[in-house]
Amino acid sequence: MEISITRVDNVTSQIKDFEEREWLEADIEHYGSARPYKKRTYKFVAVNESGDITGILDLEIEANVAFIDNLLVGKNYRRLGVGKKLITYAERFAKKNKCTKIWLSTSQDWEATKFYEKVGYKITGTHEKHFLEQNELLFTKFF
C-alpha cells in the first residue's frame, strides 16, 4: 500500500467524520465504552481595583484532567498574591468540572518552581532538553 502525507490548513467534514468514528472505536477498545469529551480551554484574568490587568492563567480541561498552560503575573505585581489567587481560582474551577488532578510544567531553573511547591504542587516528572533546550519539571496536584 502506498501512502502519501499532506499538511492540511482546513479540517474538512471528511476528516471530522474519520476522527469521530475512529476515536469512538479507540475509546471502546481502551475503556470499554464511548468516552465523549472535548478539550476545553479557559482564560482567567486578575484585575486590580484600578482596572489594571495583574495576571492571567490559561487552563485546559480534557476528560478529568486540568492543565495550566500559562500563568503570567505582571512584573510589578509579583509576590503580592496574584499568582496564588489565580491558581486557587483555577483549582476550584477544575474541581467543579470533576477533574481529579491539575498539572503544569516549568523550567527547573526558574523561580516559579519554588512558588508551585509552596502552593502544594509536587514534582512528578521531568522533560529533559524540552522547550529551547531547557529541562522542565512537571508539577501535579491531585484532588
Side-chain angles (χ1 to χ4, degrees):
M1 174 188 316
E2 193 166 321
I3 302 288
S4 66
I5 311 264
T6 58
R7 184 181 69 88
V8 297
D9 293 320
N10 297 311
V11 177
T12 65
S13 61
Q14 184 182 15
I15 293 169
K16 287 179 185 176
D17 290 346
F18 172 86
E19 287 181 317
E20 189 174 312
R21 180 181 67 249
E22 294 302 323
W23 276 122
L24 175 61
E25 290 296 321
D27 283 348
I28 292 169
E29 179 182 338
H30 295 122
Y31 303 112
S33 64
R35 299 286 182 193
Y37 62 85
K38 301 274 187 218
K39 184 186 296 187
R40 299 172 316 236
T41 59
Y42 306 92
K43 184 178 290 291
F44 305 115
V45 180
V47 178
N48 67 12
E49 62 279 351
S50 300
D52 301 321
I53 295 174
T54 59
I56 60 155
L57 186 146
D58 295 327
L59 186 74
E60 294 179 356
I61 295 179
E62 190 169 5
N64 63 315
V65 176
F67 169 64
I68 297 173
D69 188 29
N70 291 304
L71 172 60
L72 180 62
V73 175
K75 185 177 179 180
N76 296 330
Y77 302 102
R78 294 182 187 152
R79 292 181 170 69
L80 298 176
V82 175
K84 185 175 182 178
K85 286 182 180 181
L86 282 163
I87 287 276
T88 301
Y89 191 94
E91 290 172 358
R92 287 184 184 142
F93 187 85
K95 286 178 190 177
K96 275 187 182 177
N97 283 274
K98 298 181 174 64
C99 292
T100 57
K101 71 177 182 178
I102 188 168
W103 73 282
L104 60 97
S105 71
T106 194
S107 292
Q108 75 178 20
D109 297 329
W110 292 2
E111 282 291 313
T113 60
K114 294 174 190 165
F115 167 75
Y116 293 123
E117 287 177 326
K118 186 177 176 181
V119 295
Y121 287 73
K122 304 288 184 219
I123 297 171
T124 54
T126 59
H127 282 156
E128 293 188 22
K129 292 188 174 186
H130 204 51
F131 297 122
L132 303 174
E133 298 291 315
Q134 294 196 20
N135 293 332
E136 293 269 316
L137 296 176
L138 306 177
F139 285 88
T140 306
K141 184 185 272 189
F142 292 89
F143 302 130

